[in-house]
Amino acid sequence: MINNTNELKTKINMDKLPKHISIIMDGNGRWAEKRSLPRNFGHQEGMKRVIETVEAAYELGIEYLTLYAFSTENWKRPASEIEGLMKILIIYIRRELDKITKNNIVINILGDISELHEIPRREVEKAVERTKNNTGMVLNIALNYGGRDEIVHGIKEYLKEIEMGKVSVDDLNINSFSSYLYTKGQPDPDLVIRPSGEQRLSNFLLYQIAYSEFWFSDVLWPDFKANHLYEAIIEFQNRNRRFGGI
Ligand code: FPP
């Protein structure tokens, strides 16, 4: 790994940037446990990496950045950890919303936030509302998100439209179905980044990542630096994407 951030950044081909990068921010708990700290300290440190990563992606000119913040399965965690994560989300929005708005970033939520507690839900709704007319980078925050849940939700939405007579069964195809997903209107992720040494999808964007490139690293999310993002992008730019062709 090249350690000089600026040196690595200059190796990025700005004409071949991935349009959409998505990140499974994993390893917060292990980072904290290694230091004999409560798991929420790892999430707090993870939030700082969120701030830096959004900044780095914005500065590069990435069009879509998706961050996996809370899955439909994360409700199985102890109540204290869930509460801690929601507090961190609130702190993040309160701390960053002005800058995000000024930087013309759109906050978009992937997932069903109606199941969130009232205070985090309101905070998230405020962030979405305040940034909805921005025209720059789209920051998707996957919150109470699950890929299977999203597909079933999309199918239900489609069936409702059939019932209303708006569409017919034959209108459904792999492209039209995309518009029933939370990522409606967005390009599929070109690059999926998963730190922390785990090499699995964890129910993330199952429909959208059919032809995404993957970049795995042993670094835990609280140790993730702009350099790791640059490294992932450079490796992506050296991949040969064939999309099933030759
Ligand atoms: C996975 O690590 C991480 C999460 C479940 C939460 C991610 C949340 C943040 C980084 C902070 C808040 C987010 C935003 C957008 C402000 P883990 O706890 O599963 O780690 P482990 O596998 O080491 O236990």
Side-chain angles (χ1 to χ4, degrees):
M1 183 179 141
I2 306 161
N3 285 318
N4 186 313
T5 305
N6 286 330
E7 193 184 329
L8 199 53
K9 197 175 176 186
T10 59
K11 294 194 186 315
I12 296 175
N13 178 348
M14 298 304 280
D15 298 325
K16 264 181 72 182
L17 281 177
K19 259 189 199 291
H20 187 166
I21 298 178
S22 49
I23 308 182
I24 302 175
M25 307 182 290
D26 194 19
N28 296 350
R30 274 164 287 165
W31 185 92
E33 280 156 20
K34 268 184 168 181
R35 290 161 178 76
S36 306
L37 294 168
R39 290 176 58 84
N40 276 330
F41 276 68
H43 296 313
Q44 274 170 31
E45 201 61 25
M47 183 196 75
K48 296 181 195 160
R49 301 298 94 75
V50 169
I51 296 173
E52 292 163 8
T53 304
V54 169
E55 185 96 8
Y58 163 77
E59 280 174 5
L60 276 176
I62 300 300
E63 293 178 44
Y64 299 85
L65 176 68
T66 299
L67 302 178
Y68 203 0
F70 193 86
S71 77
T72 44
E73 287 72 34
N74 286 154
W75 295 108
K76 292 181 204 154
R77 296 189 177 204
S80 59
E81 184 169 342
I82 296 173
E83 203 180 308
L85 273 166
M86 293 302 153
K87 275 194 186 141
I88 289 167
L89 179 69
I90 294 169
I91 293 169
Y92 172 72
I93 294 173
R94 291 190 180 156
R95 198 179 285 178
E96 291 299 297
L97 192 56
D98 282 346
K99 189 168 79 193
I100 285 174
T101 310
K102 189 174 111 275
N103 286 346
N104 200 21
I105 294 172
V106 181
I107 293 189
N108 184 53
I109 302 299
L110 312 183
D112 179 6
I113 58 163
S114 69
E115 289 174 14
L116 258 52
H117 298 148
E118 193 183 341
I119 301 175
R121 181 172 45 74
R122 281 220 204 126
E123 209 66 34
V124 167
E125 284 167 353
K126 186 178 78 187
V128 170
E129 182 60 28
R130 239 182 90 193
T131 62
K132 71 175 185 202
N133 294 322
N134 286 351
T135 55
M137 182 174 89
V138 174
L139 172 60
N140 289 317
I141 303 180
L143 210 50
N144 190 24
Y145 173 87
R148 289 177 170 176
D149 184 72
E150 179 183 36
I151 291 168
V152 171
H153 175 263
I155 292 170
K156 283 185 174 167
E157 291 299 303
Y158 185 73
L159 292 176
K160 278 186 212 160
E161 291 193 5
I162 290 184
E163 267 178 10
M164 289 188 282
K166 280 189 177 174
V167 291
S168 75
V169 171
D170 290 336
D171 290 330
L172 192 64
N173 57 51
I174 54 173
N175 292 322
S176 64
F177 185 62
S178 296
S179 66
Y180 294 88
L181 301 175
Y182 294 122
T183 48
K184 177 181 177 171
Q186 302 186 10
D188 289 338
D190 300 294
L191 174 61
V192 177
I193 293 175
R194 180 162 195 160
S196 95
E198 307 295 1
Q199 303 197 352
R200 54 175 170 258
L201 292 180
S202 301
N203 203 9
F204 190 45
L205 302 174
L206 297 181
Y207 193 83
Q208 297 90 332
I209 57 173
Y211 278 102
S212 303
E213 297 294 325
F214 289 83
W215 188 83
F216 296 107
S217 164
D218 286 340
V219 68
L220 301 174
W221 176 252
D223 292 325
F224 190 93
K225 297 281 179 314
N227 251 0
H228 296 104
L229 179 71
Y230 301 154
E231 242 184 79
I233 293 174
I234 293 164
E235 192 176 317
F236 164 83
Q237 294 181 327
N238 289 316
R239 301 257 180 101
N240 177 13
R241 300 184 81 189
R242 292 187 294 282
F243 299 94
I246 52 173

